[in-house]
Amino acid sequence: MNINRRQFCALGTAGALAAIAGGVAVGCSSESASAKDGGSAPAASAMAIGDANVNFSKEVDVLIVGAGISGMLASIDPAKAGKSVLIVEQNGTYGGDAIYSAACQMCTTAELTKEERPDKYSSEDEIREKFAPYYEGNEAGLERTVLLQKWGGKFIDTMHYDWGYEFQELRESPYHQAFFPKNGLCTMKDEFELMNEKVTEAGAEYLFETTFKTLITDENGTIAGGRFISKDGSVVDIKAKAVVLAGGGYISNQEWMVKYAPEWAFVGNIVSGRKGDTIAAGVAAGGTLSGMMASSNLNPLYEAGHMLATFYPLIALLPNGKRFYCETAVHNAATGCLAAGYNEWYSIWDGTAQNGIDQEVIAHAGDAIQSADSIEELAEKMGLALETVQAAFDNWDTICDNQEDPEFGKTLFLQKLVPPYYFLRNVPVRYKSCGGLTVSDRMEVLDGDGNPIPNLYAAGCTAGTEDIVPAAGSGLLLGTVLAEDVA
Ligand SMILES: Cc1cc2nc3c(=O)[nH]c(=O)nc-3n(C[C@H](O)[C@H](O)[C@H](O)COP(=O)(O)OP(=O)(O)OC[C@H]3O[C@@H](n4cnc5c(N)ncnc54)[C@H](O)[C@@H]3O)c2cc1C
């Protein structure tokens, strides 16, 4: 299928990237303009430098860019409905960010929530009321959040009731509104293996180690496929009736961070390959951006010092020996550290956490975790004065004796630490972006007038979600839409 540029053109994603950085959303590239003019301009003069002619090597019904949780889940329903579905992924395997994440799956809308932890269950109206303050003057944004929370609940219920996954039983923790994998923190791999089973059972296929470059349009400027670069550098053009943009967010795009989230732009980044490629492609096709800003929280470099505090006694100290947040409120650590004027902090725990079920989160920190048999050794290894560390322990022991934390109101795990101690030095990092393409309630990419761009859909962070459960929900919702829309 070697097709002349008069009939199909590759949208200028690189141009869209530059335009986004300059704050302008662009439409189709000049190639498509010349194609629309009936091809009067010579093809060569209309070509982007270095771009090959469109040459489809494969044709599918649904083309999904990105094998993260949203892309994978969007594939199942259309594949089950008999559509040919291909998920193209730049990496060598599926899972995206979530497979390496802490795997804290916040969800208050599932039937499983109602059944197992009814005090945490939220109805649609309660969700709307909870999120309303964040969406003043943005009714559509509020409604989409409510919708994705609802579909997030469907993700948890699908995993549990339909696919037989047993989430972890409730442990003492302030996060009873979150579902965790059965084997502890950071172990979402088995959930992904199950999702992958459902993807492949449904008949969807993957193409790995192949990187999305740009969208392809037909002679009418309608989305007709995508262009990719394979591992050996060759161009792969895939024709499709519908294209799903699910390549995640833009946290590793430094230019965009400076533009959209300058507060976090110079905080170190731990995620690679999230340059906003699929967001830029949506903009190049006429889409618009919503909610671009700094994400609601930063992460610690090592999840161990962050998430262990969810379930175990742990104290966190600044280099001046002071506690600086309620350690069970794990998301306040990195921002709290910066707000206190520091760029690092220490998390200290003992055998209770070290020997608990959360071995994977500890393994993630590897050699960064050190141990000490006494406070003297701990202070020496931390590089702090003994008096500073001793004072911090004395303060913590008093809190435990009184079972009251006057400074930060911590109520759980007020338990003295006993040797051997374990500690690591953590630093704040950025790890997820906020905002993405404006989409409809059916996950269609919307143009500047609020109309769906034919054949173009988005899910997950590309469509502005920030967490695992809404990303998953957006994928499931989109799956039902694709099964219906794609003839
Ligand atoms: C360290 C860390 C910890 C986290 N912890 C939590 C947590 O505990 N709870 C929570 O709710 N959320 C957490 N998150 C956020 C969560 O992981 C994401 O919100 C979720 O994974 C988003 O899913 P997604 O499908 O939108 O995108 P992603 O997971 O980003 O998947 C996108 C996929 O697209 C691929 N891709 C990108 N560009 C291209 C391209 N040009 N061509 C081909 N493929 C491409 C990527 O390789 C990736 O596989 C964490 C994130 C990180 C990084």
Short mmCIF file of all heavy atoms in Angstrom, two decimals, residues 435-479:
data_model
loop_
_atom_site.label_atom_id
_atom_site.label_comp_id
_atom_site.label_asym_id
_atom_site.label_seq_id
_atom_site.Cartn_x
_atom_site.Cartn_y
_atom_site.Cartn_z
N GLY A 435 -2.85 17.50 33.54
CA GLY A 435 -3.47 18.09 32.36
C GLY A 435 -3.13 17.30 31.11
O GLY A 435 -2.26 16.42 31.11
N GLY A 436 -3.85 17.61 30.04
CA GLY A 436 -3.65 16.90 28.78
C GLY A 436 -4.68 17.36 27.77
O GLY A 436 -5.16 18.50 27.83
N LEU A 437 -5.04 16.46 26.88
CA LEU A 437 -5.99 16.83 25.83
C LEU A 437 -7.41 16.97 26.40
O LEU A 437 -7.81 16.20 27.28
CB LEU A 437 -6.00 15.75 24.74
CG LEU A 437 -4.73 15.64 23.90
CD1 LEU A 437 -4.76 14.40 23.03
CD2 LEU A 437 -4.54 16.90 23.04
N THR A 438 -8.14 17.92 25.87
CA THR A 438 -9.54 18.06 26.25
C THR A 438 -10.33 16.96 25.56
O THR A 438 -10.22 16.80 24.33
CB THR A 438 -10.10 19.43 25.79
OG1 THR A 438 -9.15 20.43 26.17
CG2 THR A 438 -11.44 19.74 26.42
N VAL A 439 -11.09 16.21 26.34
CA VAL A 439 -11.86 15.11 25.76
C VAL A 439 -13.33 15.22 26.15
O VAL A 439 -13.68 15.91 27.11
CB VAL A 439 -11.32 13.72 26.23
CG1 VAL A 439 -9.96 13.43 25.65
CG2 VAL A 439 -11.30 13.62 27.75
N SER A 440 -14.15 14.52 25.41
CA SER A 440 -15.58 14.48 25.71
C SER A 440 -15.84 13.40 26.76
O SER A 440 -14.93 12.69 27.18
CB SER A 440 -16.36 14.12 24.44
OG SER A 440 -16.14 12.75 24.14
N ASP A 441 -17.09 13.23 27.13
CA ASP A 441 -17.46 12.16 28.07
C ASP A 441 -17.32 10.78 27.44
O ASP A 441 -17.53 9.78 28.10
CB ASP A 441 -18.91 12.36 28.54
CG ASP A 441 -19.02 13.55 29.45
OD1 ASP A 441 -17.96 14.11 29.80
OD2 ASP A 441 -20.15 13.94 29.79
N ARG A 442 -17.01 10.75 26.15
CA ARG A 442 -16.77 9.47 25.46
C ARG A 442 -15.29 9.33 25.10
O ARG A 442 -14.92 8.53 24.27
CB ARG A 442 -17.64 9.37 24.20
CG ARG A 442 -19.13 9.57 24.47
CD ARG A 442 -19.94 9.54 23.19
NE ARG A 442 -20.13 8.20 22.69
CZ ARG A 442 -19.61 7.75 21.56
NH1 ARG A 442 -18.88 8.54 20.80
NH2 ARG A 442 -19.83 6.50 21.18
N MET A 443 -14.45 10.16 25.70
CA MET A 443 -13.00 10.14 25.48
C MET A 443 -12.61 10.50 24.04
O MET A 443 -11.54 10.13 23.56
CB MET A 443 -12.37 8.79 25.89
CG MET A 443 -12.71 8.31 27.29
SD MET A 443 -12.51 9.56 28.61
CE MET A 443 -10.76 9.77 28.62
N GLU A 444 -13.49 11.22 23.36
CA GLU A 444 -13.14 11.74 22.03
C GLU A 444 -12.30 12.99 22.23
O GLU A 444 -12.59 13.80 23.12
CB GLU A 444 -14.41 12.13 21.26
CG GLU A 444 -15.36 10.98 21.02
CD GLU A 444 -16.82 11.43 20.98
OE1 GLU A 444 -17.24 12.21 21.87
OE2 GLU A 444 -17.54 10.99 20.08
N VAL A 445 -11.28 13.17 21.41
CA VAL A 445 -10.48 14.40 21.49
C VAL A 445 -11.30 15.54 20.88
O VAL A 445 -11.86 15.39 19.79
CB VAL A 445 -9.13 14.24 20.74
CG1 VAL A 445 -8.33 15.53 20.78
CG2 VAL A 445 -8.32 13.09 21.36
N LEU A 446 -11.41 16.64 21.62
CA LEU A 446 -12.27 17.75 21.18
C LEU A 446 -11.44 18.86 20.54
O LEU A 446 -10.33 19.16 20.99
CB LEU A 446 -13.03 18.32 22.37
CG LEU A 446 -14.00 17.36 23.07
CD1 LEU A 446 -14.67 18.07 24.25
CD2 LEU A 446 -15.06 16.83 22.09
N ASP A 447 -12.01 19.47 19.52
CA ASP A 447 -11.32 20.61 18.89
C ASP A 447 -11.66 21.90 19.65
O ASP A 447 -12.38 21.87 20.66
CB ASP A 447 -11.66 20.69 17.39
CG ASP A 447 -13.12 21.05 17.13
OD1 ASP A 447 -13.81 21.52 18.07
OD2 ASP A 447 -13.58 20.87 15.98
N GLY A 448 -11.16 23.01 19.14
CA GLY A 448 -11.34 24.29 19.81
C GLY A 448 -12.80 24.71 19.96
O GLY A 448 -13.14 25.51 20.84
N ASP A 449 -13.67 24.18 19.13
CA ASP A 449 -15.10 24.51 19.25
C ASP A 449 -15.85 23.49 20.11
O ASP A 449 -17.08 23.53 20.20
CB ASP A 449 -15.75 24.53 17.85
CG ASP A 449 -15.15 25.61 16.98
OD1 ASP A 449 -14.83 26.69 17.54
OD2 ASP A 449 -14.95 25.38 15.77
N GLY A 450 -15.11 22.55 20.65
CA GLY A 450 -15.75 21.55 21.52
C GLY A 450 -16.34 20.39 20.74
O GLY A 450 -17.10 19.59 21.29
N ASN A 451 -15.99 20.26 19.46
CA ASN A 451 -16.51 19.14 18.65
C ASN A 451 -15.49 18.00 18.62
O ASN A 451 -14.28 18.25 18.54
CB ASN A 451 -16.76 19.60 17.21
CG ASN A 451 -17.81 20.69 17.17
OD1 ASN A 451 -18.83 20.59 17.86
ND2 ASN A 451 -17.55 21.73 16.42
N PRO A 452 -15.97 16.76 18.63
CA PRO A 452 -15.06 15.63 18.54
C PRO A 452 -14.30 15.63 17.21
O PRO A 452 -14.90 15.87 16.16
CB PRO A 452 -15.97 14.40 18.63
CG PRO A 452 -17.27 14.90 19.17
CD PRO A 452 -17.37 16.34 18.78
N ILE A 453 -13.02 15.36 17.27
CA ILE A 453 -12.22 15.20 16.04
C ILE A 453 -12.46 13.77 15.58
O ILE A 453 -12.17 12.83 16.32
CB ILE A 453 -10.73 15.46 16.33
CG1 ILE A 453 -10.55 16.91 16.80
CG2 ILE A 453 -9.86 15.15 15.11
CD1 ILE A 453 -9.16 17.24 17.31
N PRO A 454 -13.02 13.59 14.38
CA PRO A 454 -13.38 12.23 13.95
C PRO A 454 -12.22 11.25 14.06
O PRO A 454 -11.08 11.59 13.72
CB PRO A 454 -13.82 12.43 12.49
CG PRO A 454 -14.26 13.86 12.43
CD PRO A 454 -13.37 14.61 13.37
N ASN A 455 -12.51 10.08 14.57
CA ASN A 455 -11.58 8.94 14.66
C ASN A 455 -10.47 9.11 15.70
O ASN A 455 -9.55 8.29 15.73
CB ASN A 455 -10.89 8.63 13.31
CG ASN A 455 -11.87 8.44 12.18
OD1 ASN A 455 -13.05 8.24 12.43
ND2 ASN A 455 -11.38 8.51 10.96
N LEU A 456 -10.54 10.16 16.51
CA LEU A 456 -9.42 10.40 17.44
C LEU A 456 -9.91 10.40 18.89
O LEU A 456 -10.81 11.16 19.26
CB LEU A 456 -8.74 11.73 17.11
CG LEU A 456 -7.40 11.95 17.80
CD1 LEU A 456 -6.39 10.87 17.42
CD2 LEU A 456 -6.83 13.32 17.48
N TYR A 457 -9.28 9.55 19.70
CA TYR A 457 -9.66 9.38 21.10
C TYR A 457 -8.41 9.47 21.98
O TYR A 457 -7.29 9.29 21.49
CB TYR A 457 -10.30 7.99 21.30
CG TYR A 457 -11.48 7.74 20.39
CD1 TYR A 457 -11.30 7.32 19.07
CD2 TYR A 457 -12.79 7.92 20.85
CE1 TYR A 457 -12.38 7.10 18.23
CE2 TYR A 457 -13.88 7.69 20.02
CZ TYR A 457 -13.67 7.27 18.72
OH TYR A 457 -14.75 7.04 17.88
N ALA A 458 -8.62 9.73 23.26
CA ALA A 458 -7.47 9.75 24.18
C ALA A 458 -7.89 9.13 25.50
O ALA A 458 -9.08 9.12 25.85
CB ALA A 458 -7.00 11.18 24.39
N ALA A 459 -6.90 8.62 26.22
CA ALA A 459 -7.20 8.02 27.53
C ALA A 459 -6.01 8.24 28.47
O ALA A 459 -4.90 8.55 28.04
CB ALA A 459 -7.48 6.52 27.38
N GLY A 460 -6.28 8.06 29.76
CA GLY A 460 -5.22 8.16 30.77
C GLY A 460 -4.64 9.56 30.86
O GLY A 460 -5.32 10.55 30.60
N CYS A 461 -3.35 9.63 31.21
CA CYS A 461 -2.70 10.93 31.42
C CYS A 461 -2.75 11.80 30.18
O CYS A 461 -2.77 13.03 30.27
CB CYS A 461 -1.24 10.74 31.83
SG CYS A 461 -1.06 9.89 33.39
N THR A 462 -2.76 11.20 29.00
CA THR A 462 -2.86 11.98 27.77
C THR A 462 -4.17 12.77 27.77
O THR A 462 -4.25 13.86 27.20
CB THR A 462 -2.78 11.04 26.54
OG1 THR A 462 -1.49 10.45 26.54
CG2 THR A 462 -2.98 11.79 25.23
N ALA A 463 -5.18 12.21 28.44
CA ALA A 463 -6.47 12.91 28.54
C ALA A 463 -6.59 13.57 29.92
O ALA A 463 -7.69 13.89 30.35
CB ALA A 463 -7.61 11.92 28.32
N GLY A 464 -5.47 13.77 30.59
CA GLY A 464 -5.47 14.59 31.80
C GLY A 464 -5.67 13.88 33.13
O GLY A 464 -5.78 14.54 34.16
N THR A 465 -5.71 12.52 33.16
CA THR A 465 -5.82 11.87 34.47
C THR A 465 -4.45 11.90 35.15
O THR A 465 -3.42 12.07 34.50
CB THR A 465 -6.28 10.39 34.36
OG1 THR A 465 -5.24 9.62 33.75
CG2 THR A 465 -7.56 10.26 33.55
N GLU A 466 -4.45 11.71 36.49
CA GLU A 466 -3.18 11.75 37.22
C GLU A 466 -2.84 10.44 37.93
O GLU A 466 -1.70 10.23 38.32
CB GLU A 466 -3.24 12.84 38.29
CG GLU A 466 -2.75 14.19 37.85
CD GLU A 466 -2.58 15.12 39.03
OE1 GLU A 466 -1.65 14.92 39.81
OE2 GLU A 466 -3.42 16.03 39.17
N ASP A 467 -3.85 9.62 38.19
CA ASP A 467 -3.62 8.44 39.03
C ASP A 467 -4.04 7.17 38.31
O ASP A 467 -4.71 7.20 37.28
CB ASP A 467 -4.40 8.58 40.34
CG ASP A 467 -3.89 9.76 41.15
OD1 ASP A 467 -2.67 9.94 41.19
OD2 ASP A 467 -4.73 10.50 41.71
N ILE A 468 -3.69 6.05 38.94
CA ILE A 468 -3.92 4.74 38.31
C ILE A 468 -5.40 4.49 38.02
O ILE A 468 -5.79 4.11 36.91
CB ILE A 468 -3.38 3.61 39.23
CG1 ILE A 468 -1.86 3.71 39.36
CG2 ILE A 468 -3.79 2.23 38.70
CD1 ILE A 468 -1.25 2.81 40.43
N VAL A 469 -6.23 4.68 39.05
CA VAL A 469 -7.64 4.26 38.92
C VAL A 469 -8.41 5.06 37.86
O VAL A 469 -9.08 4.46 37.01
CB VAL A 469 -8.32 4.25 40.32
CG1 VAL A 469 -9.82 4.07 40.20
CG2 VAL A 469 -7.70 3.14 41.18
N PRO A 470 -8.30 6.40 37.85
CA PRO A 470 -8.99 7.12 36.77
C PRO A 470 -8.43 6.78 35.38
O PRO A 470 -9.18 6.74 34.40
CB PRO A 470 -8.77 8.60 37.09
CG PRO A 470 -8.27 8.66 38.48
CD PRO A 470 -7.71 7.32 38.84
N ALA A 471 -7.11 6.54 35.29
CA ALA A 471 -6.53 6.16 33.99
C ALA A 471 -7.15 4.84 33.54
O ALA A 471 -7.56 4.68 32.39
CB ALA A 471 -5.01 6.03 34.10
N ALA A 472 -7.23 3.89 34.47
CA ALA A 472 -7.82 2.59 34.16
C ALA A 472 -9.29 2.77 33.76
O ALA A 472 -9.76 2.20 32.76
CB ALA A 472 -7.71 1.67 35.37
N GLY A 473 -10.01 3.58 34.53
CA GLY A 473 -11.43 3.83 34.25
C GLY A 473 -11.62 4.44 32.88
O GLY A 473 -12.52 4.05 32.12
N SER A 474 -10.74 5.39 32.52
CA SER A 474 -10.87 6.04 31.21
C SER A 474 -10.67 5.01 30.09
O SER A 474 -11.33 5.08 29.06
CB SER A 474 -9.89 7.20 31.06
OG SER A 474 -8.56 6.74 30.90
N GLY A 475 -9.77 4.06 30.31
CA GLY A 475 -9.53 3.01 29.32
C GLY A 475 -10.74 2.11 29.16
O GLY A 475 -11.17 1.82 28.03
N LEU A 476 -11.33 1.70 30.28
CA LEU A 476 -12.51 0.83 30.20
C LEU A 476 -13.67 1.54 29.51
O LEU A 476 -14.36 0.98 28.65
CB LEU A 476 -12.94 0.40 31.61
CG LEU A 476 -12.10 -0.68 32.31
CD1 LEU A 476 -12.67 -0.96 33.68
CD2 LEU A 476 -12.03 -1.97 31.49
N LEU A 477 -13.88 2.81 29.91
CA LEU A 477 -14.96 3.60 29.30
C LEU A 477 -14.74 3.71 27.79
O LEU A 477 -15.65 3.46 26.98
CB LEU A 477 -14.99 4.99 29.95
CG LEU A 477 -15.72 6.12 29.22
CD1 LEU A 477 -17.19 5.80 29.05
CD2 LEU A 477 -15.58 7.44 29.98
N LEU A 478 -13.51 4.03 27.42
CA LEU A 478 -13.21 4.20 26.00
C LEU A 478 -13.41 2.88 25.24
O LEU A 478 -13.86 2.89 24.09
CB LEU A 478 -11.78 4.73 25.83
CG LEU A 478 -11.26 4.88 24.41
CD1 LEU A 478 -12.23 5.68 23.54
CD2 LEU A 478 -9.89 5.55 24.41
N GLY A 479 -13.07 1.77 25.90
CA GLY A 479 -13.27 0.47 25.25
C GLY A 479 -14.72 0.29 24.81
O GLY A 479 -14.99 -0.16 23.68
#
